[in-house]
Amino acid sequence: EPEVTQTPSHQVTQMGQEVILHCVPISNHLYFYWYRQILGQKVEFLVSFYNNEISEKSEIFDDQFSVERPDGSNFTLKIRSTKLEDSAMYFCASSEAGRKNGELFFGEGSRLTVL
Amino acid sequence: AQSVTQPDIHITVSEGASLELRCNYSYGATPYLFWYVQSPGQGLQLLLKYFSGDTLVQGIKGFEAEFKRSQSSFNLRKPSVHWSDAAEYFCALAGTNFGNEKLTFGTGTRLTIIP
């Protein structure tokens, strides 16, 4: 069964460093998403990406964050100058037809720890 | 603004007993509603979804949910739980307006199964 894969599964970084989280969505999917879950809190939407551009982003997704689909298979989340409060589980998701008509398939997550 | 409330943080049921997990939402119209399950170390898996039509929806693993507009609820049920159902369950909502791709999640309900 096709699945969304995320790497790394866990990354530890120093405050102020840049981090890139990698995702390989399901190959025929067109919509891509990043969500995050701070420990003990709810899963929060960060950004959606369609047709090579951001289609929607939350207030969390400020200039510190960026997304890219560099090669047609990967979908990355870059966090510049990480802060302690960026520590969270980051989930990538993809969908064939968007949240209305299609199911979102989530990866297993990348845990980011900022020290 | 859209929001989802899951009033129960943690529920414990005996194996073979029935289960109901509560979900209430706030949205200006009838939203799209989802239930996701997260097993330890796993990503989020879709159990079922409601878009329109029949208010009782069937999902995978023997789960069902009923949409009640008058109560703004979308409770998840299972007639007889199995030990493998132990997991975290998230109710989620998506708006129906064009361009709104985000899912808004509840805080989750942790389900523990006892023998």
Side-chain angles (χ1 to χ4, degrees):
Chain A
E1 183 178 325
E3 59 183 20
V4 175
T5 57
Q6 291 186 241
T7 54
S9 56
H10 189 193
Q11 180 152 0
V12 181
T13 190
Q14 295 292 323
M15 189 169 55
Q17 296 297 303
E18 177 181 284
V19 163
I20 299 176
L21 304 179
H22 298 266
C23 172
V24 179
I26 294 173
S27 61
N28 63 331
H29 284 188
L30 301 177
Y31 293 78
F32 313 107
Y33 311 83
W34 283 101
Y35 286 78
R36 79 173 185 189
Q37 185 181 28
I38 296 172
L39 188 63
Q41 298 186 24
K42 62 176 65 178
V43 177
E44 302 173 291
F45 169 80
L46 291 178
V47 65
S48 60
F49 191 87
Y50 171 73
N51 199 27
N52 285 318
E53 61 182 20
I54 290 174
S55 52
E56 188 177 1
K57 61 182 181 179
S58 72
E59 60 275 11
I60 302 169
F61 194 88
D62 59 20
D63 292 343
Q64 180 195 9
F65 294 89
S66 62
V67 290
E68 194 176 35
R69 189 157 162 79
D71 58 11
S73 63
N74 289 284
F75 179 54
T76 61
L77 175 69
K78 181 187 290 185
I79 309 174
R80 285 182 285 273
S81 189
T82 50
K83 299 177 282 195
L84 295 176
E85 53 264 38
D86 295 328
S87 295
M89 181 74 89
Y90 288 82
F91 292 104
C92 175
S94 71
S95 171
E96 186 176 3
R99 87 303 179 237
K100 175 181 180 293
N101 294 318
E103 174 180 348
L104 266 65
F105 290 80
F106 285 82
E108 294 185 358
S110 292
R111 182 173 298 285
L112 175 64
T113 301
V114 182
L115 303 177
Chain B
Q2 54 196 59
S3 66
V4 175
T5 302
Q6 293 180 248
D8 304 305
I9 296 172
H10 187 196
I11 284 183
T12 300
V13 299
S14 299
E15 190 169 14
S18 64
L19 171 71
E20 182 168 25
L21 302 182
R22 295 184 291 166
C23 172
N24 294 96
Y25 69 87
S26 175
Y27 185 67
T30 298
Y32 304 128
L33 293 162
F34 309 81
W35 275 100
Y36 281 85
V37 61
Q38 183 181 28
S39 298
Q42 302 293 311
L44 296 157
Q45 181 184 23
L46 181 68
L47 286 176
L48 47 78
K49 59 190 177 187
Y50 172 78
F51 288 160
S52 64
D54 193 347
T55 57
L56 184 64
V57 293
Q58 302 296 320
I60 62 171
K61 305 184 180 185
F63 286 92
E64 66 177 26
E66 185 171 12
F67 170 64
K68 292 186 178 180
R69 180 182 289 108
S70 61
Q71 299 177 19
S72 296
S73 69
F74 188 57
N75 294 348
L76 181 72
R77 301 194 295 249
K78 186 170 185 177
S80 176
V81 297
H82 185 261
W83 64 267
S84 61
D85 294 324
E88 187 99 19
Y89 291 80
F90 293 93
C91 183
L93 171 159
T96 56
N97 48 312
F98 178 77
N100 184 344
E101 280 294 323
K102 72 176 183 182
L103 291 180
T104 298
F105 285 84
T107 50
T109 298
R110 182 180 305 277
L111 176 64
T112 298
I113 309 296
I114 56 176

